């Protein structure tokens, strides 16, 4: 009996050790609260999720090596109760979790790898110590007696999250984990952007600006900055006085004792949360309707506003929508394009897209057709507005039938994604047309040759051209159905 109890105790202990939090055994209680010059540590891949290196005085936050997406590694500050990363050093270039990463501090904090060298650095030369404040702010400080001067701080270089009382300036940006979406601060607004393939300028897909902000901004009194306030809003400030604008959360002006954060997430939505002691409670969803997210249905996708279902702009059902690189632009170096038209399409963010008033659908299409930078256009029949899209086509929304889309799609076999098969079919269509035309011409030539020989026998002085019937066959409806209609060619 005693042996059984001992066995049960051992099993329980092993089970507890396996299921303990990832930072257990090297958490806030055992991590240092200050790092001095000469410090260095190598990543230990035996830790399952997080290797804690530095803790704040309250034991709520920790700096360490974090496992990202099951197989990658980054230096991060995490909220220990939830294991949530509030700041990451190098999200665009994470290492493999098995890599021999080295973190060192000799006035500058440096993350390096024996194979690739320096991956990230604070680029500070004279720091004396590294500390993590109870706000989650990581600082490099220069000491002069008991006084400390801040040389660098993580609050100035956010990754995807702002926490309460963290200033957000126009020199910084939030980036989603995949680096595709960003949040930036303008002179009197803040906005969300999407980075597109091909090096295009990021496209704004959401913007917040209050009409009275410009009135309240005082010239030469300093730039605008934003901050998550403990009272439940994102405020825009010029000085440490009343905010010039308030963007409220759901819990606006309610007493919430937990930490607040604002995160730009991987779907492009900006969401606010507060910690209630056990979970993060959602407190704001900036973009409320799913169809208004910039890439919810992917490139050349169409979102149904009624039920948020996705379909394809070209009605494809089997192989996915056209790949992102399907659009035509001048840099294609002479490639042809076909026209894709679709009624009942619209922009989710039409107020952010440039437009002009035109007399007709044809004028709207014509303004795009010969313009190298235009990927497509949407015409509103009721207003006469023509919205020109000077960037790769992303998700559109279903609108009323008075709105019609016009899109230039390249005709070539390159490109990947779900539309590769469809591009190949277009190429086969062109090849089939050439083969058919060649066969028809060969048949016509044979007929002409035979008739020439026959007539030569009847009248040696008579030379007859190609029979009229052959021209009729080449221009028949059956032949035209194999041609690629609406094709053009631009060359540099």
């Amino acid at each position: 009996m005693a042996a059984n109890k001992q066995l049960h105790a051992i099993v329980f202990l092993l089970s507890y050790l396996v299921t303990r939090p990832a930072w257990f055994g090297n958490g806030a209680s055992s991590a240092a609260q200050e790092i001095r010059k000469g410090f260095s540590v190598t990543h230990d891949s035996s830790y399952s999720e997080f290797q804690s290196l530095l803790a704040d005085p309250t034991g709520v936050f920790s700096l360490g090596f974090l496992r990202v997406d099951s197989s990658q590694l980054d230096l991060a500050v995490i909220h220990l109760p939830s294991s949530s990363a509030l700041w990451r050093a190098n999200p665009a270039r994470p290492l493999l979790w098995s890599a021999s990463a080295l973190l060192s501090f000799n006035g500058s904090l440096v993350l390096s790898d024996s194979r690739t060298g320096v991956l990230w650095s604070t680029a500070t030369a004279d720091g004396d110590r590294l500390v993590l404040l109870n706000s989650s702010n990581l600082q490099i400080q220069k000491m002069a007696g008991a006084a400390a001067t801040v040389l660098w701080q993580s609050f100035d270089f956010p990754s995807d999250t702002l926490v309460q009382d963290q200033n957000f300036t126009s020199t910084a940006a939030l980036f989603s984990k995949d680096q595709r979406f960003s949040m930036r601060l303008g002179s009197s607004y803040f906005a969300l952007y999407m980075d597109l393939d091909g090096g295009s300028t990021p496209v704004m897909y959401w913007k917040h600006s209050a009409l009275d902000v410009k009135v309240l901004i005082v010239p030469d009194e300093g730039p605008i900055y934003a901050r998550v306030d403990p009272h439940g809003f994102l405020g825009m400030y010029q000085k440490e006085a009343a905010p010039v604008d308030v963007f409220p959360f759901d819990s606006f002006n309610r007493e919430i004792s937990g930490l607040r954060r604002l995160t730009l997430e991987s779907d492009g939505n900006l969401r606010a949360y507060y910690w209630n002691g056990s979970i993060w409670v959602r407190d704001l969803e900036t973009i409320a309707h799913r169809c208004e997210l910039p890439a919810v249905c992917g490139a050349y996708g169409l979102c149904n506003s009624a039920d948020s279902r996705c379909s394809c702009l070209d009605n494809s059902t089997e192989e996915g929508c056209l790949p992102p690189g399907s659009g035509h632009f001048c840099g294609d170096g002479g490639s042809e394009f076909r026209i894709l038209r679709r009624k009942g399409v619209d922009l989710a963010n039409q107020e952010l897209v440039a437009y002009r008033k035109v007399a007709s659908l044809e004028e709207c299409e014509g303004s795009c057709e010969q313009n190298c930078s235009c990927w497509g256009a949407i015409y509103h029949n009721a207003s006469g507005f023509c919205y020109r899209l000077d960037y790769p086509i992303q998700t559109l929304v279903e609108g009323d039938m008075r709105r019609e889309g016009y899109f230039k799609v390249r005709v070539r076999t390159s490109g990947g994604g779900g539309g590769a098969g469809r591009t190949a079919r277009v190429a086969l269509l062109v090849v089939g047309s050439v083969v058919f035309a060649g066969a028809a011409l060969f048949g016509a030539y044979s007929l002409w040759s035979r008739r020439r020989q026959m007539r030569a026998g009847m009248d040696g002085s008579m030379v007859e051209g190609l029979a009229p019937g052959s021209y009729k066959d080449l221009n028949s409806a059956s032949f035209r159905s194999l041609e690629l209609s609406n094709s053009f060619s631009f060359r540099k």
Side-chain angles (χ1 to χ4, degrees):
M1 181 69 70
N4 287 337
K5 287 184 178 180
Q6 288 180 343
L7 180 60
H8 286 309
I10 292 172
V11 171
F12 174 79
L13 178 59
L14 290 174
S15 174
Y16 178 74
L17 290 173
V18 169
T19 59
R20 73 184 189 266
W23 57 85
F24 187 91
N26 194 19
S29 60
S30 59
Q33 292 189 14
E34 179 182 283
I35 288 177
R36 291 277 182 172
K37 279 185 177 180
F39 169 87
S40 67
V41 63
T42 302
H43 167 240
D44 184 352
S45 60
S46 66
Y47 286 88
S48 61
E49 298 294 335
F50 182 72
Q51 181 183 350
S52 180
L53 305 173
L54 180 68
D56 82 301
T58 66
V60 174
F61 307 106
S62 181
L63 170 74
F65 293 121
L66 175 69
R67 185 190 288 266
V68 180
D69 295 332
S70 75
S71 63
Q72 296 177 321
L73 174 148
D74 200 1
L75 183 67
V77 172
I78 72 166
H79 177 251
L80 286 169
S82 65
S83 303
S84 298
L86 303 178
W87 174 84
R88 287 177 55 189
N90 196 38
R93 298 175 57 201
L95 285 164
L96 289 176
W97 181 253
S98 58
S100 56
L102 175 71
L103 184 68
S104 59
F105 180 67
N106 269 303
S108 178
L109 189 63
V110 178
L111 177 65
S112 60
D113 175 67
S114 58
R115 299 179 64 181
T116 56
V118 175
L119 295 164
W120 173 85
S121 170
T122 58
T124 50
D126 300 322
D128 291 321
R129 68 173 188 172
L130 179 72
V131 294
L132 183 61
L133 306 184
N134 59 9
S135 61
S136 79
N137 190 11
L138 182 68
Q139 289 187 344
I140 293 178
Q141 298 177 347
K142 176 72 175 176
M143 304 304 297
T149 300
V150 178
L151 303 181
W152 177 94
Q153 58 183 357
S154 61
F155 270 19
D156 292 338
F157 303 92
S159 46
D160 65 349
T161 295
L162 297 175
V163 298
Q164 64 187 48
D165 295 327
Q166 176 179 358
N167 287 348
F168 181 66
T169 69
S170 59
T171 61
L174 290 188
F175 285 94
S176 58
K177 287 182 180 179
D178 60 4
Q179 307 293 292
R180 187 178 188 189
F181 305 103
S182 60
M183 171 183 167
R184 301 177 188 273
L185 186 66
S187 58
S188 59
Y189 65 90
F190 61 92
L192 303 179
Y193 299 82
M194 177 169 60
D195 288 341
L196 300 169
D197 297 332
S200 303
T201 302
V203 173
M204 183 188 297
Y205 62 90
W206 182 88
K207 180 180 180 180
H208 170 77
S209 58
L211 295 177
D212 58 348
V213 169
K214 292 184 178 180
V215 177
L216 297 174
I217 294 174
V218 180
D220 302 322
E221 288 290 335
I224 295 297
Y225 60 94
R227 185 170 62 215
V228 175
D229 191 274
H231 292 92
F233 63 87
L234 180 66
M236 293 175 64
Y237 300 83
Q238 187 175 27
K239 296 183 294 184
E240 288 296 324
V244 295
D245 178 62
V246 170
F247 185 62
F249 304 161
D250 295 342
S251 64
F252 178 60
N253 264 346
R254 282 169 45 198
E255 291 294 332
I256 301 293
S257 59
L259 178 71
R260 292 183 181 274
R261 66 178 172 94
L262 185 69
T263 299
L264 181 58
E265 300 190 332
S266 296
D267 62 355
N269 213 339
L270 184 68
R271 296 182 176 94
Y273 301 86
Y274 64 85
W275 181 251
N276 71 354
S278 57
I279 62 170
W280 289 105
V281 178
R282 184 180 296 175
D283 201 25
L284 169 74
E285 191 163 46
T286 301
I287 299 175
H289 199 289
R290 183 172 180 265
C291 285
E292 294 178 2
L293 294 171
V296 65
C297 296
Y300 294 92
L302 192 62
C303 189
N304 187 310
S305 300
D307 55 17
S308 299
R309 287 189 302 175
C310 292
S311 59
C312 292
L313 201 57
D314 62 347
N315 288 322
S316 298
T317 57
E318 296 179 359
E319 299 179 6
C321 301
L322 292 164
S326 296
H328 179 276
F329 57 98
C330 287
D332 289 342
S335 66
E336 292 185 335
F337 66 89
R338 63 186 175 93
I339 302 305
L340 172 62
R341 290 183 174 88
R342 176 70 183 258
K343 288 187 176 182
V345 297
D346 205 356
L347 298 161
N349 59 341
Q350 65 181 30
E351 69 278 2
L352 302 177
V353 179
Y355 68 90
R356 67 187 185 95
K357 193 174 180 64
V358 296
S360 65
L361 170 64
E362 290 72 25
E363 183 181 347
C364 180
E365 292 183 354
S367 68
C368 180
E369 183 178 299
Q370 301 297 328
N371 191 301
C372 287
S373 64
C374 183
W375 295 66
I378 293 179
Y379 176 70
H380 287 199
N381 187 48
S383 63
F385 292 164
C386 178
Y387 295 84
R388 204 177 74 185
L389 308 178
D390 294 334
Y391 52 84
I393 306 302
Q394 298 300 312
T395 297
L396 300 170
V397 297
E398 291 191 24
D400 63 55
M401 299 305 290
R402 294 175 298 174
R403 301 177 180 184
E404 184 167 347
Y406 165 93
F407 310 98
K408 296 189 292 191
V409 180
R410 282 181 292 180
V411 179
R412 67 184 193 185
T413 57
S414 63
R422 184 162 45 261
T423 306
R425 287 199 300 274
V426 172
L428 289 173
L429 184 62
V430 176
V431 172
S433 300
V434 173
V435 172
F436 186 89
L441 288 171
F442 179 78
Y445 174 80
S446 299
L447 179 62
W448 171 78
S449 179
R450 287 195 303 271
R451 290 189 177 184
R452 184 174 181 273
Q453 292 174 359
M454 292 173 61
R455 299 228 176 197
M458 297 172 60
D459 184 357
S461 64
M462 181 177 181
V463 178
E464 185 176 286
L466 186 65
S470 300
Y471 282 114
K472 182 178 180 181
D473 292 340
L474 288 173
N475 287 285
S476 66
S478 61
F479 181 77
R480 287 198 304 274
S481 66
L482 293 174
E483 292 182 321
L484 186 64
S485 62
N486 296 318
S487 293
F488 306 89
S489 179
F490 285 142
R491 299 188 183 275
K492 291 190 263 187

